[in-house]
Amino acid sequence: TNAGPDQVSERRQVPSHVLVVGVDNLLTNLAHCCHPIPGDGILGYVTRGRGVSVHRDTCRELKRMAVDAPDRVIDVSWGEMPGRPFLCVIVVSAVERPGLLRDVSHLIEDEQINVVAARLVVRQQTHQATMHFTVSIATLIQLNGAIDRIRHLKCVSSVRRV
């Protein structure tokens, strides 16, 4: 079936999540290597056949690709983001203890952040635990609040976003 006039105009009104400087309606994809979210500094990388891949401006993968093809790196900026959730990964390193995973998970949930996946690895020799949380967030402020709270747990040695 063909889209009616109302459907076409409605599609045009949907805001773009990322604005490519000087170009309208260009396909953009958020890079899985660095999971950019609103508030991050971002750059675009023109791909072959998949539009523009949007990366955090600190992304190692983007920097590697830019060495081979600097002319493919372009300026982009965030468009309107009406409550869209974004995935990112938080890595927590800590001394292993009973209840550690529960305590970190509760701090994340207290910030109204949904944990999509979690992985815990403990090195028995050193009692060092590494936890990877894939989370769904709405804003960078929300993520930073959770990271700050986790960082203050007594046994935590580092918290970082991948």
Side-chain angles (χ1 to χ4, degrees):
T1 62
N2 291 336
D6 292 340
Q7 290 174 323
V8 172
S9 64
E10 183 178 327
R11 282 192 198 128
R12 286 185 186 144
Q13 292 173 3
V14 174
S16 174
H17 298 301
V18 176
L19 305 173
V20 178
V21 176
V23 181
D24 286 337
N25 298 325
L26 188 62
L27 176 65
T28 59
N29 299 294
L30 299 179
H32 295 289
C33 52
C34 59
H35 298 285
I37 56 178
D40 284 334
I42 54 175
L43 289 169
Y45 183 82
V46 179
T47 65
R48 288 188 169 92
R50 290 181 294 133
V52 175
S53 178
V54 178
H55 296 259
R56 287 170 37 199
D57 57 12
T58 58
C59 177
R60 282 187 243 159
E61 182 68 15
L62 175 65
K63 289 178 182 179
R64 184 190 61 74
M65 294 184 302
V67 168
D68 295 333
D71 55 322
R72 289 178 171 242
V73 178
I74 61 172
D75 289 331
V76 295
S77 62
W78 292 107
E80 296 178 36
M81 302 290 194
R84 177 181 179 221
F86 290 84
L87 291 180
C88 66
V89 178
I90 301 171
V91 179
V92 180
S93 296
V95 176
E96 199 278 324
R97 65 167 172 77
L100 175 64
L101 181 61
R102 178 200 63 225
D103 291 348
V104 175
S105 296
H106 282 301
L107 289 178
I108 292 171
E109 291 169 3
D110 285 349
E111 293 293 322
Q112 308 301 309
I113 295 174
N114 184 36
V115 176
V116 177
R119 181 171 50 114
L120 169 65
V121 177
V122 178
R123 293 185 182 260
Q124 294 301 326
Q125 307 89 326
T126 62
H127 300 285
Q128 186 68 26
T130 303
M131 296 168 278
H132 294 254
F133 294 94
T134 302
V135 297
S136 175
I137 63 160
T139 68
L140 188 58
I141 293 168
Q142 184 184 31
L143 176 65
N144 289 338
I147 288 173
D148 285 344
R149 292 187 68 196
I150 295 167
R151 188 171 281 129
H152 287 96
L153 278 177
K154 189 174 183 180
C155 60
V156 171
S157 55
S158 71
V159 182
R160 64 184 170 87
R161 176 179 160 205
V162 178

